[in-house]
Structures are given as structure tokens and as C-alpha cells.
Amino acid sequence: MNHLAHLFLSQRDTNLMVGNFIADHIKANKIEPYSEEIRNGIMMHRAIDHFTDTHPLVKKSKSRLFPKYRHYAAVLVDMFYDHILAKNWETYSPISLESFSKSAYFVLKSRTSEMPHRSVMILDYMSKQDWLTSYGRIEGMTKALTGIAHRAKFNSKMEEAAIDLERDFKLYEAEFTPFFKELFEFAMDWVAPAK
């Protein structure tokens, strides 16, 4: 899962949100300096990633992309699933995606002193370009995927992936919907003790 799903699954627990957001920029053996609450968010992020990577429906989505995108298929599925979550946002949240995004940016910006430099840089780009809301539009996905393609070490062809997303949207959505229901239930085991 990508930024939108990780933040949503934190369920307004600000410490989990921070931990979920910075997790990809913290090495496994470097979490000790962080508070227990933020460490829980980092560990939650990693548990979500493991649950996602090993789920048969996610593997089915990846297999559709693998012939063209090879190991980048996993990145694309994460992005595609955030797009589907954003497009169907009202199914999952009583507040609008725009309101959620503004709130998430506000929370994260208020905690930048607790973040690695790379996370702060990404947050700056994310909030200025409103990535979370733009994930719900195919134009936003095209821009995001093109940006990732430019940063990739090899010719990933990810700038072309929005075409695949549009063409096979119903297939990805049919895999995402039951998967995300299971993921949400799994994630709530992390959220409940923090309430």
C-alpha cells in the first residue's frame, strides 16, 4: 500500500500516522530513538506491507503487471490500490478525501521535528502538490507514476502504467475490494490498543 492507505489505516491516531509515514525511511535497526508510539506506527507500516505483499489477491494484481514491468509491478499495485481507495473514498470514510488530506498534511507537518530528513522532503512535495487527493484522478496518477519512473534506476516504463490502470480498472478494483476489507480488519488490531 502507498501513502494514502497507510495514513487512512492509522485512523486519526497521530503517532501511528507519523510512524506509518516515516517507516520506509527508517532502517530496521534504527527505530530505537523514536517514542514507543511512533515505533508502533513504524511496525504497523511494516506489518501492513507484509500482509499486502503476501496476499493472494495482491499477487494476482501483480501477476497482471509483471510481464511488462517486472519487479516494478509491486510498486504499481501499491499506487493502483491507492487510486482505487481514493476513487471509492466515500465507501470507507465519512469525511471527504479533501478534508482527510488537509488534516493529514497538518498533522504530519506539525511533527517534522521527529522525522528523518527524507520524510520531511517528501512531505513538502506531497502537501504542495496534494498527492493524496490527486491519487483519485487518472491525471494525478499519470503525474505520480511519471515522477516515479524518472527516479527509477532503470527504464521502468511506469510512465505508461496509467494506461494499464484505466484499461483494467475493474479487474484491479475487484481484487482490491475484498483485499482491503481484510487489510482494514488486520490494521485495526494495531489501532485499538492505542485508543
Side-chain angles (χ1 to χ4, degrees):
M1 302 305 294
N2 205 45
H3 296 299
L4 181 60
H6 279 290
L7 292 169
F8 171 72
L9 292 169
S10 299
Q11 292 292 291
R12 299 191 187 191
D13 181 312
T14 57
N15 290 307
L16 288 180
M17 288 179 82
V18 172
N20 258 298
F21 181 68
I22 68 173
D24 283 337
H25 310 128
I26 308 290
K27 291 183 179 177
N29 60 348
K30 301 288 186 184
I31 69 169
E32 286 308 314
Y34 296 92
S35 69
E36 181 181 355
E37 293 80 11
I38 291 179
R39 287 200 306 269
N40 285 341
I42 294 169
M43 298 310 292
M44 179 187 183
H45 179 111
R46 293 174 181 168
I48 288 169
D49 282 355
H50 179 74
F51 184 95
T52 301
D53 292 341
T54 57
H55 198 284
L57 287 169
V58 178
K59 288 181 179 181
K60 192 173 178 184
S61 291
K62 287 180 192 173
S63 69
R64 192 176 298 113
L65 293 162
F66 188 80
K68 180 176 181 180
Y69 300 102
R70 314 306 283 177
H71 69 276
Y72 293 108
V75 175
L76 291 174
V77 171
D78 284 348
M79 294 294 291
F80 286 10
Y81 281 13
D82 258 19
H83 173 69
I84 297 164
L85 174 60
K87 277 189 72 76
N88 295 289
W89 186 259
E90 66 281 354
T91 303
Y92 301 101
S93 176
I95 66 169
S96 71
L97 178 57
E98 292 77 9
S99 296
F100 174 84
S101 299
K102 286 178 185 175
S103 176
Y105 299 141
F106 179 82
V107 166
L108 294 174
K109 285 180 176 180
S110 72
R111 306 283 293 275
T112 53
S113 64
E114 301 166 77
M115 296 181 185
H117 178 66
R118 180 156 173 72
S119 298
V120 175
M121 286 176 52
I122 287 173
L123 175 59
D124 186 52
Y125 289 122
M126 179 190 290
S127 58
K128 283 179 180 173
Q129 298 173 18
D130 191 13
W131 290 0
L132 300 179
T133 304
S134 74
Y135 286 159
R137 300 184 301 273
I138 199 67
E139 300 82 10
M141 288 300 296
T142 301
K143 185 175 179 182
L145 293 167
T146 300
I148 295 170
H150 288 315
R151 294 190 297 276
K153 292 180 182 177
F154 304 101
N155 181 16
S156 67
K157 300 180 183 175
M158 282 190 284
E159 70 277 7
E160 302 171 13
I163 297 167
D164 298 288
L165 173 60
E166 278 195 292
R167 184 190 63 231
D168 295 328
F169 178 82
K170 291 295 183 186
L171 296 174
Y172 291 111
E173 186 178 46
E175 290 152 4
F176 169 84
T177 303
F179 157 73
F180 196 70
K181 182 176 184 292
E182 292 180 36
L183 177 62
F184 184 85
E185 291 169 1
F186 172 79
M188 291 312 97
D189 288 340
W190 288 84
V191 174
K195 286 184 178 178

